[in-house]
Amino acid sequence: KAGVTQTPRYLIKTRGQQVTLSCSPISGHRSVSWYQQTPGQGLQFLFEYFSETQRNKGNFPGRFSGRQFSNSRSEMNVSTLELGDSALYLCASSLDLADNEQFFGPGTRLTVL
Amino acid sequence: DAKTTQPPSMDCAEGRAANLPCNHSTISGNEYVYWYRQIHSQGPQYIIHGLKNNETNEMASLIITEDRKSSTLILPHATLRDTAVYYCIVRVRGDSNYQLIWGAGTKLIIKP
């Protein structure tokens, strides 16, 4: 069974631009969560989607948004990029909401110049 | 805010048991303790979780103190491939679902 895939793996943008990251969960998994990982703040929860609906949200500004499609694939979007948005963005999938085990993808490394 | 405290780094000899401590003194009665690890350049990997009782699986054992204020992850026979950052995490109830609150992690280095 293929694991969680994320595209692109690396991305360079400039301040003020917007970016869309994609995540394909493990086949059969219906819940997708997004995390931001930085050296200073560690892993921080962004949001979780299930059945195309956002079910949970972390403490990030409205510039961070996401969506989930009927095939469970998910995208997250960051608008008006800031230097501080440079981070590794991780996607994790699980069979269901509140499932005990989340499976993480390799992440997308975003650099904002 | 993180609900867990871990030592920033630890060493362990290959073949020995690695014991990774975690303090979670503010944990609530219905909040689970989870452990994940992250090997360099990869996404985190689930290891184990527990509420009150000690737990064991093919990867590790989790020992939770009776007052639930701390726990220890045990890797019984560490190998070089166990070198990673180990995260002790508390699962809390969010607005409409559960959230994993990640700590800073312990960088475990297994030495030959």
Side-chain angles (χ1 to χ4, degrees):
Chain A
K1 202 185 249 190
V4 177
T5 57
Q6 294 187 244
T7 55
R9 292 292 311 277
Y10 302 91
L11 204 49
I12 299 175
K13 292 283 189 180
T14 56
R15 278 181 298 174
Q17 286 187 309
Q18 74 156 16
V19 66
T20 299
L21 311 181
S22 181
C23 171
S24 292
I26 291 172
S27 177
H29 284 196
R30 298 189 296 164
S31 175
V32 174
S33 297
W34 287 90
Y35 294 85
Q36 181 195 66
Q37 186 174 28
T38 59
Q41 298 294 321
L43 260 143
Q44 293 188 287
F45 172 75
L46 280 156
F47 26 65
E48 180 177 18
Y49 285 86
F50 179 82
S51 290
E52 302 176 66
T53 303
Q54 188 180 90
R55 300 304 180 116
N56 213 351
K57 190 176 188 305
N59 296 322
F60 278 81
R63 301 186 296 108
F64 292 81
S65 63
R67 58 179 176 167
Q68 186 181 34
F69 302 95
S70 58
N71 62 358
S72 294
R73 191 177 68 85
S74 178
E75 288 180 348
M76 68 162 280
N77 185 277
V78 189
S79 62
T80 321
L81 283 166
E82 301 176 359
L83 295 179
D85 297 332
S86 293
L88 181 68
Y89 289 88
L90 291 158
C91 166
S93 78
S94 55
L95 273 170
D96 220 323
L97 278 175
D99 199 24
N100 288 323
E101 183 173 357
Q102 291 187 329
F103 294 82
F104 282 80
T108 294
R109 172 77 60 186
L110 172 66
T111 301
V112 182
L113 302 176
Chain B
D1 291 337
K3 296 192 74 169
T4 60
T5 306
Q6 300 175 253
S9 64
M10 289 180 63
D11 291 345
C12 179
E14 188 179 17
R16 304 297 293 267
N19 297 286
L20 292 95
C22 178
N23 286 324
H24 30 79
S25 56
T26 62
I27 196 169
S28 299
N30 59 352
E31 293 175 343
Y32 281 74
V33 177
Y34 280 69
W35 284 82
Y36 277 72
R37 72 180 183 184
Q38 188 172 24
I39 295 169
H40 184 62
S41 300
Q42 297 181 24
Q45 175 193 22
Y46 167 83
I47 301 173
I48 200 167
H49 75 280
L51 183 63
K52 287 190 248 191
N53 300 322
N54 298 338
E55 303 287 344
T56 295
N57 63 19
E58 64 279 1
M59 283 183 74
S61 294
L62 174 60
I63 309 297
I64 302 175
T65 58
E66 197 168 335
D67 62 8
R68 301 189 71 239
K69 291 183 187 293
S70 65
S71 60
T72 300
L73 178 75
I74 302 172
L75 307 178
H77 305 288
T79 70
L80 297 179
R81 286 182 294 182
D82 292 323
T83 292
V85 178
Y86 286 76
Y87 293 97
C88 175
I89 302 152
V90 171
R91 191 183 80 165
V92 303
R93 183 78 186 179
D95 291 336
S96 57
N97 195 19
Y98 296 99
Q99 282 188 32
L100 297 180
I101 307 298
W102 297 66
T106 294
K107 184 168 185 177
L108 176 66
I109 299 173
I110 306 300
K111 298 193 169 180

